[in-house]
Amino acid sequence: MIYSVYGASMIARAQDFATAAHYAVGQRRKFTNEPYIVHPRAVAGIIQALPDHTWMQVVWAWLHDTVEDTEISLDVIHTSFGSEIARGLYYLTNVEREAGNRKLRHRLNIERLAGAPPRVQTVKIADIKDNTKNIAALGGSFAPVFLQEKEDAMAVLTRGDQVLWSLTMDQILKQKQEVALVQEA
């Protein structure tokens, strides 16, 4: 995909920004202990493989976990990247832990995602696709809970890219089957 000079510049800035933010807090991937930035990179790659993606979706993909997992606030995102990027990240950021127990936070996150614009929903679907690709093998006893939460989220992400949605739901269902087989053994 060819982007405008401005769009290409924003993608490069987002990549650098996300890399620095996740590195600054020493964040690593659960289960694999890889540097966390491998996940935003993978989500950006999924978005970039879509034929009708925008540069803003790539920026959201790179930044989607910065507010949730680092010291970066939505105000900093707004100042650094503008209101449209900050607005998209609002939908992609989970509610704070102080909002309640896991079940309540899950419901609030689902409600937030339901109101997200279609292009933002597509980024969330890409996030879920990357996060669920091998959870059955790596997630242990947490995998069934995690997969159900992702399936719940997919139920409201119906305005995102339909091909990506279908591929991601297929992956979730396959992972649920793998978890069930392991539990039976």
Side-chain angles (χ1 to χ4, degrees):
M1 172 70 101
I2 298 174
Y3 306 103
S4 65
V5 171
Y6 180 74
S9 169
M10 291 293 279
I11 291 169
R13 284 182 54 218
Q15 179 178 353
D16 291 345
F17 190 95
T19 301
H22 291 289
Y23 179 77
V25 296
Q27 191 175 12
R28 312 283 296 178
R29 290 289 285 165
K30 246 182 242 177
F31 309 120
T32 65
N33 203 35
E34 297 172 293
Y36 192 81
I37 200 63
V38 301
H39 172 60
R41 180 180 298 121
V43 175
I46 292 168
I47 293 299
Q48 287 176 304
L50 299 174
D52 65 344
H53 74 276
T54 67
W55 67 262
M56 280 202 291
Q57 286 178 291
V58 180
V59 170
W60 288 324
W62 276 108
L63 298 174
H64 79 274
D65 280 335
T66 55
V67 174
E68 187 175 316
D69 294 340
T70 74
E71 302 297 319
I72 304 300
S73 69
L74 273 176
D75 288 338
V76 170
I77 296 295
H78 184 271
T79 300
S80 301
F81 292 94
S83 61
E84 274 302 299
I85 298 302
R87 183 172 161 260
L89 284 188
Y90 163 78
Y91 291 109
L92 294 168
T93 301
N94 286 336
V95 299
E96 302 79 20
R97 287 188 179 270
E98 294 77 30
N101 64 29
R102 184 177 184 94
K103 187 175 181 179
L104 175 59
R105 290 192 321 266
H106 176 61
R107 184 176 57 78
L108 294 172
N109 289 331
I110 297 292
E111 290 172 5
R112 183 179 286 190
L113 288 171
R119 290 193 183 276
V120 174
Q121 285 194 356
T122 296
V123 174
K124 185 60 182 179
I125 295 167
D127 174 37
I128 291 170
K129 183 163 183 34
D130 186 61
N131 275 330
T132 59
K133 69 181 177 232
N134 55 8
I135 191 71
L138 301 174
S141 62
F142 179 64
V145 172
F146 185 79
L147 287 165
Q148 186 58 56
E149 288 176 351
K150 298 314 165 197
E151 189 173 352
D152 295 345
M154 292 295 288
V156 301
L157 295 171
T158 56
R159 295 182 303 134
D161 182 275
Q162 291 302 292
V163 172
L164 182 59
W165 189 94
S166 293
L167 292 170
T168 303
M169 273 305 296
D170 288 349
Q171 180 174 291
I172 290 169
L173 296 175
K174 179 179 181 257
Q175 291 290 299
K176 286 179 95 171
Q177 287 176 339
E178 288 181 25
V179 166
L181 289 174
V182 169
Q183 289 176 337
E184 288 175 12

